[in-house]
Amino acid sequence: MAADRGAGSAIAAADGWVVALSYGNPPPGGYLCPDQFDALRRQAAELRKTIERHGRGNAVKVGSRDWREQVTGDRAEVTAEVYLMFSAPGDPLTMVGSAHRWTFRTERYGGLRAGWKLCQADVPELCGTHLRCD
């Protein structure tokens, strides 16, 4: 049952999804709203494929900063500045791309699935913001 538990905060639920993008892993299942579980996992997989396809042979990680949350009852809107970090194989230098604000919608669940869960991720089009896709 612990695998279905949500995150301890709205920010942690959203950040779990962002961190999963960095490594190409599925987002933590317990941190996703049950009715949006498949859609959020698909969205994360599609974003990671876009990052890998247009990363120009570099290792690409996803970073975040300046997390903010607006909680209203059992719902919260969370925002963060998200950026991509590029490093060429064998090169110790890392180039950090421009940060763009992403918005997430979360809900707090009770009972056995208690905790915050991500229900929606509003991500700008990666091509043209975070990546050059020409």
Side-chain angles (χ1 to χ4, degrees):
M1 295 286 177
D4 283 344
R5 291 189 65 80
S9 71
I11 289 174
D15 189 42
W17 192 82
V18 172
V19 168
L21 282 178
S22 196
Y23 297 98
N25 297 327
Y31 287 15
L32 305 179
C33 289
D35 60 335
Q36 295 300 316
F37 183 88
D38 291 335
L40 287 164
R41 283 212 164 170
R42 259 192 321 275
Q43 182 183 14
E46 289 170 9
L47 289 169
R48 188 65 209 177
K49 284 180 190 170
T50 300
I51 290 168
E52 289 172 358
R53 184 171 46 247
H54 298 289
R56 303 186 191 281
N58 296 301
V60 183
K61 298 288 183 206
V62 181
S64 60
R65 65 178 181 231
D66 192 25
W67 285 90
R68 301 176 188 179
E69 68 180 350
Q70 179 76 33
V71 179
T72 306
D74 287 337
R75 296 178 186 267
E77 180 176 282
V78 176
T79 64
E81 289 185 358
V82 179
Y83 53 91
L84 302 183
M85 299 171 286
F86 304 85
S87 48
D91 189 341
L93 298 177
T94 299
M95 184 185 84
V96 178
S98 299
H100 298 274
R101 189 145 299 271
W102 292 14
T103 303
F104 307 91
R105 292 183 179 48
T106 62
E107 293 181 15
R108 183 174 25 214
Y109 282 68
L112 294 174
R113 295 182 173 174
W116 287 93
K117 295 181 182 281
L118 176 66
C119 300
Q120 183 177 337
D122 295 328
V123 177
E125 188 67 37
L126 294 181
C127 293
T129 55
H130 293 285
L131 296 166
R132 286 188 216 156
C133 299
D134 41 21

